Amino acid sequence: MVRVGIVGLGRWARVLTRASNLSDKIEIVAGYSRSEANRVKFEADTGVPSVGTLDDILACDDIDGAILTVPNEQHYPVALQVAEAGKHVYTEKPIAHSLEDGLAIDALQDRYGITVTVGHSARLLGGVREIKRRIDAGELGKVGFIEANFSNERALELTPDTWRWYRDRAPGGPLSQLAIHMFDVVNHLGAGIVEASSVASRLSPVGAEVDDQSMTLLRLADGAIAYVGACWTSPGVFSVRVFGSRGLMHYEIDFGTWDTPEAIRESSTLYIQRGKDGFGKREILEEPETNMFAAELDMFADSCRTGRTSVLSAANGNEAVACVYAALASVGRNGAAVKLSEVMAAAEANRT
């Protein structure tokens, strides 16, 4: 059993700690937050002891890694401390607040001999895995188009004391918080994103700085195209539809079950549609049973034990962040397409 600590003890730390209880590979043995109130609540809710300083975790020889659920702009400085202590890093998505920080986190692996795992859990959903399996088996034929939407009501709940209120801390609003999941899913299902064009607007009545609606068009390396939508002012939904020359697949879940993946299959929709007769050829499929959070923690445990990275890699995490920043650049250019290679090159130059 791999023993790890968790840093940042808000809501998401509790979600991941619950998921860890389903794993026979990983155990969260200590938590740290600068907030005493968060430490007390975390202990009460999970039964996992908290410590007063991050060093209390990093100094433990029998702790192999740390899970970071701190705000995005803290990912790199905390990851650096963890890596300097010779421990493996799991960071929630996005890998970092900026692409420069994301590239710096990636570089920690060679510098300190550790691994980095990024919590892009959406690609581990049962329905997404089944779509990927059937694409790889050739069941859909040549994939030409992907539609994806990840929306929820978060912008209606923002207040000035929350970090997501601010443009510089949550760039693009749902672009960096929701659409980024779908950029990773599109990269996973398709041939890799090479270009993004995007429009955005701010419609929430609460007055937050961030945009709260976005539509992004993507071009993939093989010529396929994709659309990713993200609305931050509506009931939640997560949906993916993949169109191929031999068939299409559709997968949709109720966002209300996101924190409790064991319940996702109770209300999800998954089907495949073949042939030219359309709806009449639609076959309802049962979503494979999986828990995406337990699965990603198992991958982190495997990386801690073997020293090898998983598909939840820093490189994949940075591709998703590059897509966010290409979309943001496109918004600033009135929707003109921006190549991810341009964004990546600029971030690399800024680091040197």
Side-chain angles (χ1 to χ4, degrees):
M1 182 80 75
V2 171
R3 292 163 56 88
V4 301
I6 190 163
V7 185
L9 302 182
R11 177 181 69 89
W12 205 248
R14 296 191 292 276
V15 169
L16 292 183
T17 302
R18 287 198 302 271
S20 73
N21 294 331
L22 304 174
S23 173
D24 59 3
K25 294 184 176 184
I26 196 167
E27 181 182 7
I28 296 174
V29 297
Y32 166 69
S33 170
R34 291 179 297 183
S35 165
E36 182 179 1
N38 283 357
R39 294 198 299 269
V40 170
K41 182 170 178 53
F42 178 77
E43 285 191 2
D45 289 349
T46 67
V48 175
S50 66
V51 295
T53 70
L54 178 56
D55 286 340
D56 290 334
I57 290 176
L58 301 183
C60 290
D61 291 337
D62 62 347
I63 289 181
D64 298 306
I67 297 168
L68 312 187
T69 61
V70 295
N72 296 347
E73 70 269 18
Q74 296 177 27
H75 285 190
Y76 173 63
V78 178
L80 176 59
Q81 287 182 263
V82 173
E84 287 176 334
K87 301 188 186 299
H88 299 275
V89 173
Y90 168 104
T91 178
E92 257 309 311
K93 69 83 204 165
I95 184 173
H97 173 66
S98 68
L99 188 52
E100 289 83 357
D101 276 2
L103 294 171
I105 289 176
D106 190 355
L108 296 176
Q109 298 180 106
D110 288 339
R111 184 177 176 186
Y112 293 103
I114 55 93
T115 63
V116 172
T117 300
V118 183
H120 274 292
S121 54
R123 66 162 64 200
L124 303 179
L125 282 160
V128 173
R129 284 181 158 182
E130 184 64 9
I131 292 173
K132 176 65 171 174
R133 185 185 71 80
R134 292 180 184 244
I135 290 173
D136 290 347
E139 196 166 345
L140 301 186
K142 172 64 176 175
V143 172
F145 183 55
I146 300 173
E147 290 180 347
N149 190 296
F150 197 176
S151 297
N152 64 29
E153 71 291 338
R154 179 61 62 88
L156 300 175
E157 303 170 349
L158 295 178
T159 60
D161 61 346
T162 57
W163 61 269
R164 290 179 178 87
W165 176 279
Y166 300 98
R167 185 184 299 269
D168 63 335
R169 301 184 71 190
L175 260 177
S176 61
Q177 302 305 303
L178 297 179
I180 190 170
H181 271 298
M182 294 313 205
F183 297 150
D184 181 68
V185 167
V186 170
N187 258 333
H188 177 53
L189 297 178
I193 299 166
V194 297
E195 187 177 85
S197 57
S198 189
V199 294
S201 66
R202 187 165 66 248
L203 297 176
S204 173
V206 303
E209 291 182 0
V210 293
D211 289 331
D212 45 56
Q213 321 289 322
S214 72
M215 296 176 63
T216 304
L217 300 179
L218 306 168
R219 187 174 300 277
L220 278 61
D222 63 352
I225 57 176
Y227 153 79
V228 172
C231 170
W232 233 5
T233 58
S234 77
V237 70
F238 175 104
S239 64
V240 179
R241 189 178 298 198
V242 178
F243 297 77
S245 58
R246 297 177 58 192
L248 68 87
M249 289 189 72
H250 175 86
Y251 176 54
E252 185 171 336
I253 70 170
D254 173 7
F255 178 71
T257 62
W258 187 263
D259 288 7
T260 53
E262 65 274 9
I264 285 176
R265 297 169 72 244
E266 297 173 7
S267 58
S268 66
T269 299
L270 178 65
Y271 65 75
I272 186 169
Q273 184 172 310
R274 303 182 181 89
K276 294 181 286 188
D277 295 336
F279 190 87
K281 296 289 186 180
R282 183 171 296 182
E283 177 188 350
I284 304 299
L285 305 172
E286 183 175 358
E287 179 181 351
E289 187 170 357
T290 186
N291 183 307
M292 57 183 172
F293 303 137
E296 65 183 357
L297 292 176
D298 281 351
M299 289 181 176
F300 179 46
D302 289 341
S303 290
C304 290
R305 191 181 65 256
T306 67
R308 296 191 297 269
T309 58
S310 70
V311 295
L312 301 181
S313 65
N316 285 336
N318 280 323
E319 286 183 5
V321 174
C323 197
V324 169
Y325 278 92
L328 287 169
S330 175
V331 170
R333 301 177 192 178
N334 296 316
V338 176
K339 293 185 181 300
L340 268 65
S341 58
E342 171 189 334
V343 173
M344 193 71 76
E348 289 280 10
N350 288 339
R351 289 189 61 231
T352 59

